[in-house]
Amino acid sequence: MDLMAHILVQGTQMLLVLALAPLLTGLVRKVKARLQRRRGASVFQPYRDLARLLRKEAVLAQNASWLFRVVPYLVFAATWVAAALVPTFATGLIFSWSADLIAITALIGSARFFLALAGMDVGTSFGGLGSSREVMISSLAEPAMIMIVFSLALVAHSTQLSTIASVMLAGVGLRVSLALALVALLMVAVAENGRIPVDNPSTHLELTMVHEAMVLEYSGRHLALIELAAQLKLLLFLSLVACVFVPWGLAPVGAGVAGMVLGMATYAGKLAVGALLLAVFETSIAKMRVFRVPDFLGAALMLGLLGTLLLFVSGIL
């Protein structure tokens, strides 16, 4: 019975992240519209967009290879697994042993690698442009993410997210290194999700777009899977920040139904606050030029490296 209960909780988490990802995107868009004094679309509009895309026929270019057809499924699967491994409302789930920060980073990197290949597969100029920019961004974002993982591992003596959340919840005090890691993680999250100021997911300007340029040739169910993967990725990073730096409210191992429900309510509140802060940030800042992105991510890499060095040298800062 215990095994069945653990599988049920883990399955609930997998379905929860899948169900909440479009709602989170819709909430960010709605708050941004209200901040700009527009009515904006409903928070449920992303669900309608996904349903509309799933009903449409997938149109493929004549020179598209098998890789172009397979990549949407690979990207969606890798991102969904990564998002489902992050403890959202409970810790100590049955797959918590595999909820390793390095594994999650590898899953995100694999999804990006295949998407970049698909962008170049058809041979259009937009696809190649988007893929080259995406690889340039990832070449700085991934090392910065690894530095953040090292900082957290030095504090918690583990890279498993359930262990890190338990250590943070037990109280590690105010540390300069953790503050640096948090700022670096937020900067990496902005770049990984193609948000302002690195990219603008709501425009298709030739000179600035990155992610949208890679997926211009996709349509129908393929585009729906890629859009849903992008929404899952945004939820993944917000969940990661909430799990590591705001771990309060997570249901412990063996918590009953009431504890799980309380954990879900707390998790929903954290996502709502994260969506509000993201919308305010994007409304108050302009998009930077593409050649400024390396400076932005270089700063994230330096912050992550500085946090790791502080912990390695002092052990307490």
Side-chain angles (χ1 to χ4, degrees):
M1 290 301 293
D2 287 344
L3 178 61
M4 291 301 296
H6 285 301
I7 292 176
L8 181 62
V9 174
Q10 184 70 63
T12 302
Q13 162 144 322
M14 295 189 69
L15 294 177
L16 184 68
V17 295
L18 191 63
L20 288 182
L23 182 62
L24 176 66
T25 301
L27 182 59
V28 174
R29 291 175 182 171
K30 184 70 174 180
V31 175
K32 284 179 66 177
R34 300 303 296 173
L35 290 173
Q36 296 167 355
R37 298 191 175 185
R38 295 185 288 110
R39 175 175 294 180
S42 166
V43 294
F44 301 106
Q45 186 61 39
Y47 294 102
R48 301 189 186 110
D49 292 340
L50 291 175
R52 173 173 52 83
L53 288 173
L54 288 173
R55 287 196 299 269
K56 288 188 175 182
E57 181 184 1
V59 180
L60 298 171
Q62 289 184 348
N63 55 342
S65 71
W66 62 271
L67 182 68
F68 189 81
R69 299 177 176 84
V70 171
V71 161
Y73 301 97
L74 290 176
V75 171
F76 170 71
T79 311
W80 187 19
V81 170
L85 289 179
V86 179
T88 55
F89 65 91
T91 58
L93 300 181
I94 192 169
F95 292 148
S96 60
W97 58 271
S98 59
D100 186 278
L101 269 173
I102 296 177
I104 291 173
T105 305
L107 284 170
I108 296 172
S110 300
R112 180 193 301 108
F113 171 73
F114 285 114
L115 195 58
L117 286 183
M120 296 184 292
D121 184 74
V122 182
T124 62
S125 56
F126 279 116
L129 180 146
S131 297
S132 62
R133 288 178 177 174
E134 182 75 9
V135 172
M136 180 267 292
I137 291 174
S138 67
S139 65
L140 290 169
E142 289 183 1
M145 189 68 189
I146 293 297
M147 287 296 109
I148 296 165
V149 173
F150 286 164
S151 298
L152 296 174
L154 285 172
V155 173
H157 304 289
S158 174
T159 54
Q160 287 189 354
L161 282 169
S162 291
T163 305
I164 294 174
S166 300
V167 171
M168 293 292 183
L169 196 58
V172 295
L174 294 176
R175 297 193 181 200
V176 178
S177 54
L178 289 181
L180 296 175
L182 173 60
V183 175
L185 179 59
L186 293 176
M187 296 172 75
V188 170
V190 167
E192 287 279 4
N193 288 282
R195 310 297 304 192
I196 298 173
V198 175
D199 192 9
N200 189 350
S202 61
T203 65
H204 290 79
L205 297 177
E206 177 186 354
L207 294 178
T208 60
M209 63 182 177
V210 179
H211 177 80
E212 296 298 322
M214 289 190 297
V215 302
L216 274 180
E217 296 297 324
Y218 279 111
S219 60
R221 64 180 181 279
H222 294 154
L223 183 58
L225 288 174
I226 291 175
E227 291 291 333
L228 186 53
Q231 294 163 2
L232 279 167
K233 197 173 180 182
L234 177 61
L235 182 137
L236 184 158
F237 274 93
L238 283 182
S239 301
L240 195 58
V241 173
C243 168
V244 174
F245 295 99
V246 197
W248 300 281
L250 286 170
V253 180
V257 176
M260 296 292 176
V261 172
L262 180 61
M264 289 182 189
T266 308
Y267 175 60
K270 292 176 185 175
L271 287 184
V273 172
L276 175 64
L277 294 177
L278 177 60
V280 171
F281 175 73
E282 289 192 328
T283 307
S284 59
I285 196 169
K287 185 187 176 307
M288 67 175 67
R289 296 179 181 179
V290 175
F291 64 82
R292 296 286 302 276
V293 175
D295 298 336
F296 179 81
L297 287 173
L301 177 58
M302 286 298 105
L303 289 174
L305 180 61
L306 185 58
T308 304
L309 290 176
L310 276 176
L311 281 169
F312 189 74
V313 173
S314 69
I316 55 174
L317 288 178

